[in-house]
């Protein structure tokens, strides 16, 4: 029998950072009792995003942050949209380069991630934000 | 009862631009009568793409266009594939950096988008093009 | 009746390259006998990724490889995470800029791809790797 489950993960952020949500997502999958199905994640913002990245060496996260900061610098002279702070337009750009949605598979009650893969919320704003990731699992018990 | 609905959104573009398709997508969701489900969008081209971005200040769209133009300049000396015009290879690159597919969730008849999120077709070619976005909703009445 | 099918495509890579997996994916769709459904692809790695790109002129692939190599150069002085080789951190960055997951639609037994679209595994590491792409089709016979 196919069923659907929904949940929201609320995260309070404080600055530009990658925040692992893998455990919360896996807990939701487990609690759903769904054996096989499709899991869709949506971040409901345009200045934070979702990525799947290495879960082992935290230096990878630092390098990712540095890379995106250099690619879309916080420099108002580069942008027209500057009223919301010099980190806002870079945040929109970084969001467009990564993901607003991720769709994953569940097989035999297990989220299909590689050994070195983690799911991260990528915060692109400097000030503290309340971020919502919407989880939606559609599958069979 | 689970059912599936399909539709195509055809858009005539005229130059590099972000074109909101949020209303068309929401109309399709409404007309499907599906209460809860997964909505998949596919753009059937490799020189235009899909992004979810801010729907409020149109300057964000201008800055996004400028950013991607600087990142992948229309300069034939940079590319091998130049037979289709100096905007073609940059268009493929911009497409690869954004999205060909987006998967969204529908809960209680409502597409799960944040307040400031809109769905955009991102046209990367200079000349007028006819673009097809394929919509697919799988869910329960 | 809704059913689900799973499969893994294993690819041995040898260097930075785009490798078409379109035929393998379409073969899986055909063998599933599913008429209409959602197909989710997950690459279970963080230094290789998935993209949908032009399937015609192989120069497009060369230009994409060049573009990403320039954007995230193999230069250890740029990164903190350097213990796994000078191609590893660039590989993580390129993976974050492209896709770990792709969700496509199947309608009337046909994968919805444009005429010029192919599905590619994008290998970002220099040395030979064994890569797994997980396929998951959920749909109706």
């Amino acid at each position: 029998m196919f069923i659907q489950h929904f949940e929201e993960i609320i995260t309070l952020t404080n600055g530009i950072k990658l925040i692992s949500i893998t455990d919360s997502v896996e807990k939701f999958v487990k609690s759903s009792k769904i054996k096989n199905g499709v899991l869709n994640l949506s971040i409901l913002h345009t200045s934070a995003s979702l990525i799947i990245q290495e879960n082992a060496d935290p230096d990878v996260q630092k390098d990712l942050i540095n890379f995106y900061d250099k690619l879309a610098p916080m420099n108002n002279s580069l942008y027209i949209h500057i009223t919301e702070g010099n980190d806002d337009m870079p945040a929109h750009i970084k969001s467009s380069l990564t993901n607003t949605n991720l769709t994953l598979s569940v097989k035999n009650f297990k989220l299909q991630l590689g050994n070195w893969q983690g799911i991260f919320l990528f915060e692109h704003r400097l000030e503290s934000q309340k971020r919502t990731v919407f989880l939606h699992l559609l599958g069979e018990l």
Side-chain angles (χ1 to χ4, degrees), chain A:
Chain A
M1 193 181 70
F2 278 86
I3 56 164
Q4 299 186 71
H5 278 289
F6 302 98
E7 194 169 270
E8 288 181 358
I9 299 176
I10 308 291
T11 306
L12 291 170
T13 64
N14 60 337
I16 295 177
K17 219 165 278 180
L18 276 83
I19 299 151
S20 173
I21 57 168
T22 316
D23 289 351
S24 305
V25 173
E26 288 189 328
K27 202 176 149 190
F28 166 66
V29 170
K30 199 175 175 186
S31 73
S32 76
K33 316 278 190 208
I34 283 176
K35 186 181 179 187
N36 296 320
V38 165
L39 173 68
N40 192 49
L41 285 75
S42 306
I43 191 163
L44 304 183
H45 310 279
T46 60
S47 57
S49 56
L50 298 170
I51 61 170
I52 289 180
Q53 264 298 327
E54 192 187 284
N55 54 19
D57 181 1
D59 284 343
V60 170
Q61 299 172 31
K62 289 180 200 160
D63 282 331
L64 284 170
I65 289 167
N66 288 342
F67 171 80
Y68 283 99
D69 275 347
K70 268 190 258 172
L71 190 60
M74 288 185 237
N75 175 347
N76 274 346
S77 72
L78 295 169
Y79 312 110
I80 308 167
H81 174 81
I82 57 173
T83 47
E84 294 178 54
N86 71 350
D87 58 333
D88 191 58
M89 195 56 225
H92 291 307
I93 291 170
K94 292 169 192 175
S95 161
S96 78
L97 289 163
T98 51
N99 309 285
T100 300
N101 303 93
L102 288 175
T103 307
L104 301 171
S105 294
V106 173
K107 185 186 172 190
N108 276 332
F109 306 103
K110 203 179 158 346
L111 194 59
Q112 296 301 303
L113 284 174
N115 285 339
W116 307 104
Q117 289 184 316
I119 309 168
F120 295 89
L121 188 165
F122 196 169
E123 175 60 61
H124 305 302
R125 299 297 310 264
L126 293 167
E127 286 190 15
S128 184
Q129 306 284 337
K130 186 181 167 189
R131 300 302 194 179
T132 303
V133 178
F134 186 85
L135 306 184
H136 175 193
L137 182 50
L138 183 162
E140 276 178 291
L141 290 177

